Amino acid sequence: MAQGSGDQRAVGIADPEESSPNMIVYCKIEDIITKMQDDKTGGVPIRTVKSFLSKIPSVVTGTDIVQWLMKNLSIEDPVEAIHLGSLIAAQGYIFPISDHVLTMKDDGTFYRFQAPYFWPSNCWEPENTDYAIYLCKRTMQNKARLELADYEAENLARLQRAFARKWEFIFMQAEAQVKIDRKKDKTERKILDSQERAFWDVHRPVPGCVNTTEMDIRKCRRLKNPQKVKKSVYGVTDETQSQSPVHIPSQPIRKTTKDDIRKQITFLNAQIDRHCLKMSKVAESLIAYTEQYVEYDPFITPAEPSNPWISDDITLWDIEMSKEPSQQRVKRWGFSFDEILKDQVGRDQFLRFLESEFSSENLRFWLAVQDLKKQPLQDVAKRVEEIWQEFLAPGAPSAINLDSHSYEITSQNVKDGGRYTFEDAQEHIYKLMKSDSYARFLRSNAYQDLLLAKKKGKSLAGKRLTGLMQSS
């Protein structure tokens, strides 16, 4: 796994105008790390070590690192080279693959180079939610090397209590990251897991370890520019994003203008006006809807007289096509206005009721607009003119009652007629029928008599069936 190109190193360099003594130190360390990984200029040999029944990819030994530092930085004392290596490791540029303590040892301990994405010069300031996602992801991976240590398990339990309300979001993010990781090559995944673990060893160190940085560059930059240093390890900037981490170079900060403030106020007002429902209310509505339609679901309630999809009996289809609706069908008209509009017999019954109230033009207009949407393109313009003349033009024989706003929009649309010319007018008429005429229809004698007649017919049929069974 190549890790030392110049392009990668450029990822970790901050803006020149924001340079500080610590940033300069980071850049110098990164120059050393880049040269250390460059095979062409005599870098530290990165190799794959074979062990019993497994391979350890992309590692170097502590001895190799110490010797390279002494040779290339003209250091004569091995203790000084070990000290320098420990300072570099404490920043997370080099890390041991089998230990959480970031120190350098002059022996055969295996080390690995950190990915430039996690370099400290990126000024990471990860939040506890990022750490919770990382620990939660570790619990989903069934591997001994990823098992949580005691202090990590305690941190996970503490974070789960702290973020109880948004734990479902954290779990979903962790699950998405696991799915992405599983698509990667096994060797690459092993390296990335260790690099991610080392990143958190720097930012959430093992109890007893301290941060050796003399001045925290993250705090300095936060004071100078509080918005620019805000980052998320997993690229999660809001609760709808679940992409893999992608580093985006920081952009120059401009001064906030009046237009920015106005846009922000407009956005916040829109958020305040949003209609929100509690999950418990949504669940109650879903349960009520399911209970209401359970007898109409053939997977749950067997169809009567039989299910034509699994038998040769098509009686059910004949009943559905009949103009004499069943009691179950009549009952369904009362569930919602859409139910009666979907049923041909229901529409006919509703139309008769509207005719008795001298308002049938509303439903006829709605049906005409629905039919317009299905017309061939060459017939659309002619049909638009016919609907306009029948329902909306001055002196129309079946004039409908529209508000001024909808009428004005429709008048403009008719000039260039299309399938959706009457969309606003249709929506207005739909709401009018739903809130007024439909409610009166359900209370009318016509619907109640129809409903009771079907109930009575069903009970008589049941009695006849029972009598036939007893006589037989």
Side-chain angles (χ1 to χ4, degrees):
M1 179 180 179
Q3 302 180 34
S5 65
D7 291 338
Q8 287 176 323
R9 193 179 73 80
V11 175
I13 298 178
D15 298 336
E17 67 272 12
E18 295 185 2
S19 298
S20 65
N22 281 63
M23 184 58 70
I24 295 173
V25 171
Y26 284 140
C27 291
K28 289 183 178 180
I29 293 176
E30 288 161 12
D31 286 334
I32 295 173
I33 294 297
T34 301
K35 294 176 181 177
M36 199 178 293
Q37 297 179 81
D38 191 354
D39 294 335
K40 297 180 181 179
T41 58
V44 179
I46 302 174
R47 57 185 183 272
T48 298
V49 179
K50 295 183 179 180
S51 63
F52 182 68
L53 297 178
S54 64
K55 294 181 180 180
I56 306 175
S58 301
V59 293
V60 296
T61 64
T63 301
D64 291 337
I65 294 174
V66 171
Q67 290 180 355
W68 189 93
L69 292 173
M70 293 179 66
K71 177 181 178 181
N72 291 271
L73 301 182
S74 302
I75 299 175
E76 297 180 356
D77 189 355
V79 176
E80 184 180 349
I82 294 172
H83 176 66
L84 178 59
S86 296
L87 292 177
I88 295 174
Q91 307 300 324
Y93 289 99
I94 306 171
F95 59 89
I97 65 172
S98 59
D99 194 354
H100 290 272
V101 181
L102 302 176
T103 57
M104 179 62 63
K105 299 178 181 178
D106 187 8
D107 56 17
T109 302
F110 291 130
Y111 291 82
R112 190 171 282 145
F113 291 101
Q114 181 61 283
Y117 177 76
F118 290 123
W119 279 355
S121 58
N122 286 322
C123 295
W124 288 107
E125 190 177 354
E127 298 182 353
N128 285 331
T129 51
D130 298 318
Y131 189 44
I133 292 173
Y134 165 70
L135 295 177
C136 189
K137 183 172 67 171
R138 288 260 301 275
T139 62
M140 298 177 184
Q141 297 168 320
N142 188 20
K143 296 175 183 176
R145 61 187 173 83
L146 295 172
E147 186 177 358
L148 295 181
D150 292 340
Y151 78 95
E152 290 176 321
E154 293 175 1
N155 289 339
L156 178 61
R158 190 179 301 111
L159 290 169
Q160 191 168 3
R161 290 193 298 270
F163 298 114
R165 293 186 177 181
K166 60 188 302 186
W167 191 253
E168 183 179 357
F169 164 71
I170 292 172
F171 185 85
M172 289 171 59
Q173 294 295 335
E175 197 172 34
Q177 288 294 323
V178 170
K179 289 180 180 178
I180 294 172
D181 291 343
R182 285 173 180 167
K183 296 178 182 179
K184 296 176 182 176
D185 178 74
K186 182 179 179 181
T187 301
E188 180 187 6
R189 190 166 64 245
K190 184 182 292 186
I191 295 172
L192 292 176
D193 287 341
S194 65
Q195 290 172 338
E196 189 177 21
R197 187 210 69 185
F199 171 83
W200 288 110
D201 286 341
V202 173
H203 295 276
R204 298 293 187 276
V206 180
C209 296
V210 295
N211 189 343
T212 56
T213 306
E214 294 179 359
M215 182 174 64
D216 192 345
I217 186 175
R218 292 168 297 165
K219 291 182 179 179
C220 294
R221 293 192 68 190
R222 185 170 67 246
L223 293 174
K224 183 176 181 180
N225 192 347
Q227 299 297 326
K228 196 169 181 179
V229 299
K230 192 72 172 178
K231 291 189 178 184
S232 173
V233 179
Y234 302 107
V236 182
T237 56
D238 56 47
E239 297 195 0
T240 61
Q241 182 178 355
S242 60
Q243 303 294 327
S244 57
V246 177
H247 175 69
I248 301 175
S250 55
Q251 300 294 329
I253 296 299
R254 61 181 180 85
K255 292 184 178 180
T256 303
T257 62
K258 292 182 179 179
D259 290 336
D260 295 333
I261 299 298
R262 291 193 186 99
K263 289 178 181 178
Q264 187 176 10
I265 293 173
T266 303
F267 172 77
L268 293 175
N269 287 333
Q271 296 300 310
I272 293 173
D273 293 337
R274 285 181 62 188
H275 181 63
C276 298
L277 289 176
K278 292 183 178 180
M279 185 61 70
S280 58
K281 295 294 183 183
V282 175
E284 289 176 5
S285 300
L286 182 60
I287 292 172
Y289 177 87
T290 305
E291 292 175 347
Q292 186 179 50
Y293 283 90
V294 66
E295 61 178 306
Y296 299 92
D297 190 339
F299 287 102
I300 301 175
T301 304
E304 294 181 1
S306 65
N307 191 340
W309 294 104
I310 59 176
S311 67
D312 294 331
D313 187 3
I314 60 172
T315 307
L316 178 65
W317 290 340
D318 293 336
I319 294 174
E320 290 297 321
M321 294 179 66
S322 172
K323 292 186 178 180
E324 291 295 330
S326 62
Q327 187 267 342
Q328 188 183 37
R329 191 169 167 186
V330 174
K331 179 183 174 183
R332 186 166 180 167
W333 298 346
F335 290 172
S336 69
F337 187 46
D338 291 326
E339 290 292 347
I340 199 170
L341 291 179
K342 288 190 297 184
D343 192 320
Q344 177 63 50
V345 180
R347 288 200 303 269
D348 293 341
Q349 294 290 339
F350 186 53
L351 182 60
R352 290 174 193 165
F353 171 75
L354 293 178
E355 288 174 349
S356 68
E357 292 196 337
F358 305 99
S359 60
S360 62
E361 67 277 359
N362 289 332
L363 181 57
R364 288 191 285 111
F365 169 77
W366 188 90
L367 292 173
V369 175
Q370 286 294 98
D371 182 67
L372 172 65
K373 298 174 183 178
K374 305 173 185 177
Q375 292 293 320
L377 187 60
Q378 63 269 21
D379 299 337
V380 169
K382 178 182 177 182
R383 186 65 182 135
V384 166
E385 183 62 23
E386 291 175 352
I387 295 174
W388 171 260
Q389 292 297 332
E390 182 178 0
F391 297 102
L392 292 165
S398 301
I400 58 174
N401 185 17
L402 278 186
D403 64 290
S404 58
H405 178 69
S406 299
Y407 188 84
E408 182 179 353
I409 293 175
T410 306
S411 301
Q412 294 296 326
N413 292 342
V414 170
K415 296 177 182 178
D416 186 17
R419 287 193 177 95
Y420 299 95
T421 297
F422 302 101
E423 193 74 12
D424 287 277
Q426 186 189 33
E427 183 179 359
H428 177 80
I429 293 299
Y430 173 88
K431 291 179 179 178
L432 183 65
M433 290 191 296
K434 180 180 178 180
S435 61
D436 185 30
S437 302
Y438 173 66
R440 288 202 307 274
F441 171 73
L442 295 181
R443 296 193 302 267
S444 69
N445 293 331
Y447 178 73
Q448 293 297 328
D449 292 344
L450 190 62
L451 188 63
L452 292 174
K454 296 304 174 184
K455 284 184 179 180
K456 184 178 179 181
K458 185 176 180 181
S459 62
L460 289 174
K463 290 180 179 179
R464 292 194 189 99
L465 181 61
T466 304
L468 289 173
M469 291 178 64
Q470 289 176 351
S471 62
S472 60

